[in-house]
Amino acid sequence: MKLSVVLPAYNEEESISHTLLSLHGTLNKYNIPHEIVVTNDNSKDGTLKVLEELSKQIPTLVYYTNPGPNGFGYAVRYGLERFTGDCVAVFMADMSDDPEDLVKFYNKMLEGDYDCVFGSRWEKGGKVIDYPTVKKVINRVANFIVSVLMGIRYNDTTNAFKLYKRETMEGIKPFLSPHFNLTVELPLKAIVRGYNYAVVPNSWTNRKYGESKLKIKEMGSRYFFILMYCLIEKFFSQGDFKKKTDAPKKEVSR
């Protein structure tokens, strides 16, 4: 099963080299067939130049520059329209995600033939390093609200780090979110539309360079919009978007 890894990158010249070399080295170590797909989101620094140099060292690296519109969601979507693998993971370019966790996701998908594998930083075995206190509080409250309203047990919906089969990704289109709310749209649509998933603990480390692109004050209404959309689809779509299958639905695995 070929793995595609989509990374959105905006002004990540200080982080992206370490991220991509570590990611490529880890996937090679475990003999995982893969491609690394980076969307340069019109960076204003030297990100594009770094990618040009890295492409000489990493044969599985492909990169694009998103001409616009720009934003986290648009950059991820640009990559999701161009990957060639049998499954695809969204991975951060700022070294916050661990490539070893991605290997666990991949093996879990193979082991149980799951449609999706979601990471959780808050389950036993997960951890966060240098997570800002205010963001942590907001994160836990937001994820609690999502889990209660949607009636799901999964506790880390806002975590972007997830793995989807190609068929799953095709089944949750069209994408609506242009910003960080895409991280909520993808898993909630997958759950609402009947795709099964496993949850694997993962680690998260705060970026060492640059600044976070997530602006909480700007994102509240956008998260709310996509949550309301998924609620409406869940209760009023009459199953029009459900996964088409005759196989019995698997239980969620942890």
Side-chain angles (χ1 to χ4, degrees):
M1 185 169 69
K2 181 180 176 181
L3 168 66
S4 295
V5 190
V6 169
L7 299 90
Y10 177 71
N11 292 350
E12 296 288 2
E13 67 173 329
E14 295 178 297
S15 300
I16 199 161
S17 180
H18 177 85
T19 301
L20 296 185
L21 289 171
S22 176
L23 178 59
H24 176 65
T26 300
L27 296 178
N28 266 358
K29 180 173 69 172
Y30 292 98
N31 296 314
I32 296 176
H34 70 277
E35 66 171 353
I36 300 171
V37 183
V38 179
T39 301
N40 168 42
D41 201 32
N42 263 328
S43 297
K44 309 305 180 189
D45 64 357
T47 297
L48 182 57
K49 185 176 180 180
V50 173
L51 288 172
E52 290 171 351
E53 291 300 316
L54 285 172
S55 66
K56 301 171 185 176
Q57 305 176 52
I58 303 176
T60 57
L61 171 63
V62 292
Y63 62 92
Y64 305 95
T65 293
N66 175 22
N70 299 118
F72 177 86
Y74 284 124
V76 173
R77 287 163 56 178
Y78 201 87
L80 291 179
E81 294 293 347
R82 289 162 176 79
F83 77 93
T84 64
D86 303 300
C87 58
V88 59
V90 178
F91 197 90
M92 295 296 98
D94 60 5
M95 301 190 298
S96 59
D97 297 325
D98 187 342
E100 291 284 344
D101 288 332
L102 179 55
V103 174
K104 295 175 186 176
F105 287 18
Y106 178 84
N107 288 334
K108 187 71 174 181
M109 180 170 279
L110 285 177
E111 167 194 316
D113 195 27
Y114 293 103
D115 298 318
C116 327
V117 177
F118 300 155
S120 176
R121 298 163 290 186
W122 314 107
E123 296 216 349
K124 183 178 180 181
K127 65 178 179 179
V128 295
I129 300 171
D130 295 332
Y131 204 108
T133 302
V134 173
K135 283 190 175 183
K136 182 177 180 179
V137 171
I138 293 173
N139 176 290
R140 301 320 303 133
V141 171
N143 277 286
F144 175 76
I145 292 171
V146 170
S147 63
V148 170
L149 289 179
M150 295 299 298
I152 59 177
R153 292 177 55 203
Y154 180 48
N155 64 2
D156 202 6
T157 307
T158 58
N159 182 1
F161 189 18
K162 298 177 173 73
L163 176 66
Y164 303 85
K165 281 186 177 177
R166 170 175 285 278
E167 294 81 3
T168 306
M169 195 58 72
E170 291 298 321
I172 59 180
K173 290 180 178 178
F175 305 131
L176 303 176
S177 304
H179 300 288
F180 279 89
N181 48 342
L182 185 68
T183 64
V184 173
E185 177 183 352
L186 299 183
L188 290 187
K189 274 187 176 177
I191 294 170
V192 167
R193 296 183 183 184
Y195 294 92
N196 61 67
Y197 65 95
V199 179
V200 174
N202 74 282
S203 62
W204 181 92
T205 304
N206 198 11
R207 61 166 56 245
K208 296 179 180 178
Y209 308 104
E211 61 180 29
S212 173
K213 313 304 185 297
L214 173 61
K215 308 300 180 185
I216 293 176
K217 289 183 179 180
E218 299 175 7
M219 288 306 304
S221 61
R222 290 171 176 145
Y223 279 115
F224 181 76
F225 161 74
I226 206 64
L227 176 58
M228 290 302 100
Y229 173 88
C230 291
L231 272 172
I232 291 170
E233 184 175 307
K234 178 177 181 178
F235 292 108
F236 298 103
S237 71
Q238 300 296 316
D240 290 339
F241 306 104
K242 281 281 188 178
K243 175 185 176 183
K244 303 298 188 291
T245 178
D246 296 324
K249 184 179 178 182
K250 286 183 181 172
E251 295 297 321
V252 174
S253 172
R254 278 178 166 74

